[in-house]
Amino acid sequence: MQQGKIKTNNPHIAELNQDYLYHLDLVGGVKDPVTGLDGLESQFGDVKFFCCGGSQKRMAQFAQEVADSFEGTQYALPFGTAPVPIGKTDRYLTFKVGPVLICSHGIGQPSMSVLLHEIVKLLEHANATDVEFFRLGSSGGIGVPPGTVVVCTAGVNGMLEEAYSLPILGEMVHKPTGINPELVQSVLDSAKDIKDFQVVAGKTMSADCFYEGQARLDGALCNYNEEGKMEFLNKLYDIGVRNIEMEAAMFSSFVTSLGIRGTIMCVTLLNRLNGDQVTTPMEDLAAFDLRPGKVAISYIHQRLGLN
Ligand code: R2B
Ligand code: URA
């Protein structure tokens, strides 16, 4: 498993005079005249963790929680400082808190994919090393109680394959989605002191659709019945899937293709074996939303030797 310098796998990047990361409004490949280093290196060269999640509000809150968790350590922000977004903010929100780079990625694999490509290029230009990637999100559980955090062992697509499938140059390309089991175990180990909710390992299915793609009966379109839905969800359970969301297959294939250590930790908002509508009370949902971040912070503290 690579760790070491974060590297793109694209020979064309080196041919660019400069690399404009359009959705972040940051430029790589331009040397600082004083230091002679890439301009991104002074800002991002020390990044060791990249944490992303769909919602802007939740990731801004997570940035503040990471900052709070670093109080009294060498990574503490100066007194009275709060994390502020970096670069362009209309598509994604980006924060940096010590060695943790934090971004929102919007809903779905296409939105997240744009961000992941630009973040890996950013980290390569910045000469960052040993960066681990995490997606912190929400999901529908399969046979686990609402509020459980599922640490992903492999992404599964809607055809129940451990693959992310993307048409490239007119051909369907299937990319493997298995996650490094040693990383999953380290995340579970770091969460062992968390007692107020369950953290489990399991496969995560990703759909490009919240409704039909996730076997819901409550979308605007549906041409299957309860029986067909339950048969599919039970099949998911039987192959080891413990939650469904909309990004894990792309995320896991991406980190795997680049040899980056990374996984997805999603809280389950409901148990899909019991229904489709997210009617969990607002205050429970607000508490659930914080859980993947708690697991990530436990892991980050363990890796930084802060525990
Ligand atoms: C989980 O929640 C979002 C849809 O509500 C989506 O981003 C996901 O994966
Ligand atoms: N996010 C999803 O994609 N599915 C759910 O059921 C809940 C959250």
Side-chain angles (χ1 to χ4, degrees), residues 107 135 137-141 205-207 209-211 214 216 243-247 266-272 275-278:
I107 289 188
R135 171 176 132 70
S138 60
S139 61
M205 187 192 122
S206 301
C209 168
F210 185 84
Y211 291 99
Q214 298 190 18
R216 283 188 152 83
N243 61 344
I244 310 180
E245 44 77 282
M246 299 180 68
E247 294 87 8
C266 285
V267 69
T268 61
L269 305 183
L270 73 167
N271 180 357
R272 288 296 316 287
D276 295 338
Q277 296 240 312
V278 185

Side-chain angles (χ1 to χ4, degrees), residues 83-138:
V84 257
I86 301 166
K88 198 151 89 171
T89 55
D90 57 338
R91 298 289 186 183
Y92 307 108
L93 274 192
T94 303
F95 299 91
K96 184 174 175 294
V97 182
V100 190
L101 181 62
I102 298 162
C103 290
S104 63
H105 60 60
I107 289 188
Q109 311 194 99
S111 175
M112 187 188 62
S113 150
V114 174
L115 177 72
L116 291 185
H117 279 272
E118 292 187 12
I119 288 292
V120 166
K121 294 195 306 161
L122 178 155
L123 292 173
E124 179 176 61
H125 292 305
N127 283 311
T129 56
D130 299 326
V131 185
E132 295 178 287
F133 277 41
F134 297 102
R135 171 176 132 70
L136 318 177
S138 60

